[in-house]
Amino acid sequence: MSGYVYIVGAGPGAPKLLTIRGLECIQQADVILYDRLVNPELLTYAKADAEFIYCGKEPGNHGLIQDEIHRILVEQAKLGKHVLRLKGGDPFVFGRGAEEAAILRKANIPFEIVPGITAGIAAPAYAGIPVTHRDHAASFAIVTGHGRAEKEQDFLNWAALAHIDTVAFYMSVGNIAHITKSLITYGKSESTPVAVIEWGTTENQRTIIGKLATIAQDIQNHRISNPTMILVGDVVNVREQIAWFAEKEHKLC
């Protein structure tokens, strides 16, 4: 007897930004494999007898390696269980959801993909920054900040990125010096506004604003750490007009 797997985006952090379909999947699941950035409050909606398996990944400390996650998904589904793979943000935006779906298809296990709100849009919105704007930005890119030139992993097209109006960098705090240098080298102005949003959409949200030439030092001075979104572009200036979220003090209603 084959079970079923839900691959669900849990959203950017605030529990009420989970989709209705995502909530239904949590309530139906027998087994829940969840990531580090999933808000723990979401797990309280699970069945009383649901099994929880932590799959969190952070630098130097992986809860489970990806191959082991694949094995558990297939194994539990083949036992006839409803299995939930719960991921921060959206499962198809730097979430490896496509890899997991491919493994399930190969094993002939039915699955459903439930999109989630990704942090590259949500965190700026909570900081009062639109990623597009009629007067400031007609193009928008989301980029992983993991690649390092010194490790020969820098596969990004910096020449193209330097000419996109708004660029959201995920997982980039540790690589910010390389990012800023690359953008400036390929034509981005040193004075381009940059927003750094730590723990976006949550009660711990903190935003700092700076310029491309100096934001790496600003991040160090303010001791910013992950999870953080870094937004580069003139739209950052719109924050002065529409910032609405009272950071550090706001209580979600």
Side-chain angles (χ1 to χ4, degrees):
M1 179 176 63
S2 180
Y4 199 89
V5 176
Y6 308 100
I7 301 177
V8 176
K16 290 187 179 181
L17 294 182
L18 177 73
T19 65
I20 294 173
R21 181 56 184 153
L23 176 61
E24 291 174 343
C25 294
I26 292 174
Q27 293 170 333
Q28 296 166 6
D30 301 308
V31 181
I32 299 176
L33 289 79
Y34 65 100
D35 284 345
R36 179 173 68 97
L37 296 181
V38 169
N39 192 308
E41 184 177 329
L42 298 180
L43 302 180
T44 66
Y45 294 102
K47 299 189 296 186
D49 59 348
E51 178 184 356
F52 299 103
I53 300 174
Y54 178 68
C55 302
K57 297 176 182 177
E58 53 188 307
N61 182 19
H62 285 197
L64 289 175
I65 61 172
Q66 194 64 37
D67 287 346
E68 182 69 1
I69 293 171
H70 293 168
R71 183 191 66 78
I72 293 173
L73 289 173
V74 172
E75 182 181 79
Q76 293 295 314
K78 285 187 173 181
L79 292 175
K81 297 179 180 180
H82 281 198
V83 182
L84 171 61
R85 181 69 177 98
L86 192 60
K87 298 172 171 288
D90 180 275
F92 279 7
V93 179
F94 307 127
R96 305 190 72 169
E99 298 173 42
E100 293 165 358
I103 291 293
L104 296 169
R105 176 57 55 83
K106 185 176 181 180
N108 294 315
I109 294 170
F111 60 88
E112 175 183 348
I113 308 296
V114 180
I117 300 173
T118 187
I121 296 171
Y126 267 58
I129 303 168
V131 294
T132 65
H133 190 286
R134 186 174 63 175
D135 297 328
H136 300 285
S139 58
F140 170 54
I142 56 177
V143 181
T144 174
H146 270 326
R148 292 179 181 271
E150 63 270 24
K151 294 184 178 181
E152 299 182 353
Q153 294 175 350
D154 193 350
F155 53 86
L156 296 177
N157 186 340
W158 291 107
L161 288 174
H163 293 90
I164 292 175
D165 295 323
T166 308
V167 185
F169 288 94
Y170 291 62
M171 303 167 286
S172 301
V173 168
N175 206 18
I176 186 60
H178 174 61
I179 289 169
T180 55
K181 179 182 178 181
S182 298
L183 288 174
I184 292 169
T185 297
Y186 284 92
K188 204 76 165 174
S189 170
E190 293 185 354
S191 63
T192 303
V194 181
V196 180
I197 310 161
E198 182 183 57
W199 286 104
T201 79
T202 75
E203 293 183 348
N204 293 319
Q205 178 172 308
R206 179 169 58 139
T207 302
I208 64 170
I209 304 297
K211 303 296 183 182
L212 192 61
T214 55
I215 197 65
Q217 186 61 52
D218 295 336
I219 287 174
Q220 183 175 344
N221 291 345
H222 289 273
R223 298 182 180 180
I224 299 292
S225 61
N226 284 315
T228 294
M229 287 302 312
I230 298 175
L231 201 73
V232 179
D234 288 341
V235 289
V236 170
N237 288 332
V238 179
R239 172 178 164 84
E240 297 176 3
Q241 304 168 26
I242 62 174
W244 63 275
F245 186 77
E247 298 183 359
K248 288 284 189 179
E249 298 176 357
H250 185 87
K251 300 299 182 183
L252 296 175
C253 61

